[in-house]
Amino acid sequence: MTKPLPPRAEARPITLETHGITRQDDYAWLRADNWQEVMRDGRASLADDIEAYLDAENAYQEAIMAPTKELQDKLFAEMRGRIKEDDSSVPSPDGPYAYGIKYVTGGQHPKFVRTDRDGSNETILLDGDKEADGKAYFKFGGASHSDDHNLLAWAFDDKGSEYYSLLIRDLGTGKDSDYRIEDTAGGGVFSADAKYLFYVRLDANHRPSKLFRHELGTDPAKDVLVYEEEDPGFFMGVGRTHSGDTILIDIHDHETSEVWVISAHSPLDPPHLIAPRDTGVEYSVEDNGETYYILTNLGDAEDFKIVTAPKATPGREFWTDLVPHKPGCLILSHEVFKTFMVRLERENSLPRIVIRRLADNIEHEISFDEEAYSLGLSGGYEFDTTDIRFSYSSMTTPSRVYDYNVETRERVLRKEQEVPSGHNPEDYVTRRLLATAEDGETVPVSLLYHKDTPLDGSAPCLLYGYGSYGISIPASFNTNALSLVDRGFVYAIAHIRGGKDKGFAWYKKGRREQKKNTFTDFIAAARHLAKEKFTSHERIVAQGGSAGGMLMGAVSNIAPEAFAGIIAEVPFVDVLATMLDDTLPLTPPEWPEWGNPIEDKTAYDYIGSYSPYDNVEAKGYPAILAVGGLTDPRVTYWEPAKWVAKLRATKTCDNLLMLKTNMEAGHGGASGRFDRLKEVALVQAFALMVAGKV
């Protein structure tokens, strides 16, 4: 058979000048001038020449991967077979009721359900499969019930653009309001009397900039603007404290916070400021009676501390330390109940939960003994309780949900993740390694492999990385990874700088003027795995998405010889051009993470020195699969499209290069739980093909 020829995008060079520096971009035309319309309408608003190129790339990708169709089907069946199709969450009690989520066999989307507190009399509040019927894409946004349990505010996105339509459902009749509130950030917050709903609206450039108050039963056109954030570099969100007393207006970028509050019992009052924004100072707020409990990095508290402040005088001058800063012990989150506070923290790369009794400040903790594991708080609705819920898993141990009584310290297992096709943890090994980076730092690497996998360098490896925004990738149970592990792969997660795996300093050393540490850490992890014979460089397939996709582009430029293949999902690869375009949705809020190349030539030079698109060279590259989403508001579709076009025109090798653009989805890919598995199967088939396992 004749091998299909890859499409080549036409080079239409334009010249750009910044800070007196000229650069040429041959593929800028792939950026739709009407990108706002494309984000909303998808293919219907796309220019013919751009559509033709994306379709040609999709056809090429399908032709190349066609011989793996049987393999993809098998992988999909395996992954689906590990899902309990009629799964349900542990119901969360709230007064006379308990709320939860369930799926039905064959169903793609969740159902939101309510029972009596004892579990009887189940009612379906929202049926995801019903709401999604006839839509190519459907995803729920937030769903929250009113204090009186009579109303449900819920949101959905049917384009993948993350412009959510917000509706209010009468839980007595099951009917939605006659109107929709469009272009919201998803979900809303009721006032205590359920007469008002607060929500955030996105502007034309997809920025959450305005908080509105909606009076139920009235025309949304009459909604009251409560607060407007005029700085395009800040995000806005709305929520409620766990006590339910306070509505929170959270204003933040990646390093600075500002919180305004409204009493949930006095929703018509104007918002009041907790503390004005101060560059580099972050804080988040909970409350208990007359006291605010504030998690912050104020002063020298790099890994955060918890302070208290009177509600009447919440300014920084009244903040009093409650949980002092402990260097190297990062406080991730906190939640306040009537008689106790719970916090999630991480030290030595491992999480733990700490409970503090408020009456006498006595503390105790919940932790586990595995070498690498994931731990999370599950929240809940009730404030006056002695129970908390948390989840635990490791790379070999399926997820477990526990209820824990903070007074008796009794731990009750409420649910253990079922793997219908079977799973024996004893068949697998999980390890935590330390790779040495270029500057001597040690980079944690979590491993999962089958006990029978030979560790002589012959095993293929999927090495995953992210390393941005302080996000840490947990060493949690991943049923999808088992399809590769059962075929002899070593599955590895590199906990590189740019995340907070080793504290806040780990994040700071992987952003802005130290961003390249993220890339060299990942390369160091790959080299360590090869050196220790877990794999070899010609068998390592690297994977990352979004900002992790930027990582993929960077390492393929810096050390292409270290990898056999690259999987770059919705990759942020045109970093310099995007950070120079302040009209794009996320550009101003991203400057604290990467630097502002518009105003700062040093930032321009540094970003330009690693931006994957700008550093493509005439040399050999690993095999590459890039995946994008047409309506993606976070990483626009043209970033992977431009990158692939330039790579194809520039690279000197014949290694495979493919672009798949999901023409009916955005940043997260397909929305249905099974449709998403088909995309995972494609990615895994590529990895197996590159590693010589096909």
Side-chain angles (χ1 to χ4, degrees), residues 4 113 184 423 514 543 664:
V113 299
T184 78
H423 174 71
Q514 299 186 78
Q543 182 183 22
E664 295 178 330

Side-chain angles (χ1 to χ4, degrees), residues 214-232:
H214 171 70
E215 183 176 358
L216 271 68
T218 66
D219 185 347
K222 299 178 181 179
D223 289 354
V224 175
L225 177 63
V226 176
Y227 185 90
E228 181 173 4
E229 176 53 51
E230 297 183 353
D231 188 332

Side-chain angles (χ1 to χ4, degrees), residues 96-357:
Y97 298 108
Y99 293 82
I101 291 173
K102 66 181 296 184
Y103 289 88
V104 296
T105 299
Q108 292 258 35
H109 302 277
K111 300 180 189 298
F112 291 81
V113 299
R114 181 172 73 183
T115 66
D116 291 345
R117 192 178 179 97
D118 63 5
S120 61
N121 299 318
E122 180 182 277
T123 301
I124 296 175
L125 305 181
L126 273 176
D127 186 332
D129 291 316
K130 180 179 178 181
E131 300 296 340
D133 187 42
K135 296 180 172 68
Y137 181 95
F138 179 85
K139 184 178 181 181
F140 278 122
S144 57
H145 61 270
S146 57
D147 291 9
D148 61 10
H149 304 280
N150 291 329
L151 300 170
L152 185 77
W154 68 281
F156 72 90
D157 167 24
D158 59 5
K159 295 289 190 301
S161 61
E162 299 178 40
Y163 279 105
Y164 288 91
S165 299
L166 179 60
L167 298 93
I168 299 168
R169 177 163 294 189
D170 184 319
L171 295 181
T173 65
K175 295 182 179 180
D176 290 322
S177 52
D178 293 333
Y179 53 82
R180 292 180 181 180
I181 304 173
E182 301 292 358
D183 299 342
T184 78
V189 174
F190 284 106
S191 58
D193 60 10
K195 293 181 179 179
Y196 299 94
L197 184 75
F198 293 84
Y199 66 91
V200 173
R201 180 171 286 161
L202 305 177
D203 66 16
N205 283 18
H206 208 278
R207 291 179 182 140
S209 58
K210 295 180 180 180
L211 177 77
F212 285 89
R213 183 182 66 238
H214 171 70
E215 183 176 358
L216 271 68
T218 66
D219 185 347
K222 299 178 181 179
D223 289 354
V224 175
L225 177 63
V226 176
Y227 185 90
E228 181 173 4
E229 176 53 51
E230 297 183 353
D231 188 332
F234 281 78
F235 301 93
M236 178 190 294
V238 63
R240 245 175 115 177
T241 56
H242 191 68
S243 70
D245 287 343
T246 306
I247 294 170
L248 302 170
I249 308 169
D250 176 44
I251 314 293
H252 65 279
D253 63 11
H254 292 299
E255 63 176 5
T256 304
S257 304
E258 183 175 272
V259 177
W260 296 72
V261 296
I262 301 171
S263 170
H265 305 281
S266 302
L268 302 183
D269 288 353
H272 296 282
L273 179 64
I274 295 289
R277 68 191 69 174
D278 184 4
T279 301
V281 177
E282 298 181 67
Y283 69 95
S284 59
V285 178
E286 280 289 331
D287 66 5
N288 176 299
E290 296 302 311
T291 304
Y292 286 124
Y293 291 77
I294 302 170
L295 175 63
T296 182
N297 65 343
L298 181 67
D300 296 325
E302 182 177 64
D303 287 314
F304 288 76
K305 62 182 178 179
I306 298 176
V307 303
T308 59
K311 277 193 171 182
T313 55
R316 288 194 183 97
E317 63 270 29
F318 299 101
W319 291 9
T320 302
D321 285 7
L322 178 67
V323 180
H325 175 243
K326 180 182 177 183
C329 179
L330 177 65
I331 304 177
L332 298 166
S333 63
H334 74 309
E335 196 161 0
V336 178
F337 296 79
K338 186 173 182 179
T339 61
F340 65 96
M341 179 178 71
V342 59
R343 68 182 188 267
L344 180 64
E345 61 187 30
R346 184 187 299 114
E347 189 171 21
N348 295 324
S349 300
L350 291 176
R352 62 173 172 252
I353 294 170
V354 181
I355 293 95
R356 185 185 189 98
R357 194 161 59 198

Side-chain angles (χ1 to χ4, degrees), residues 350-368:
L350 291 176
R352 62 173 172 252
I353 294 170
V354 181
I355 293 95
R356 185 185 189 98
R357 194 161 59 198
L358 297 178
D360 54 18
N361 290 326
I362 291 177
E363 293 188 348
H364 69 277
E365 68 180 50
I366 305 170
S367 59
F368 291 82

Side-chain angles (χ1 to χ4, degrees), residues 562-576:
F563 307 97
I566 298 285
I567 300 165
E569 298 176 285
V570 289
F572 179 33
V573 284
D574 196 11
V575 185
L576 186 58

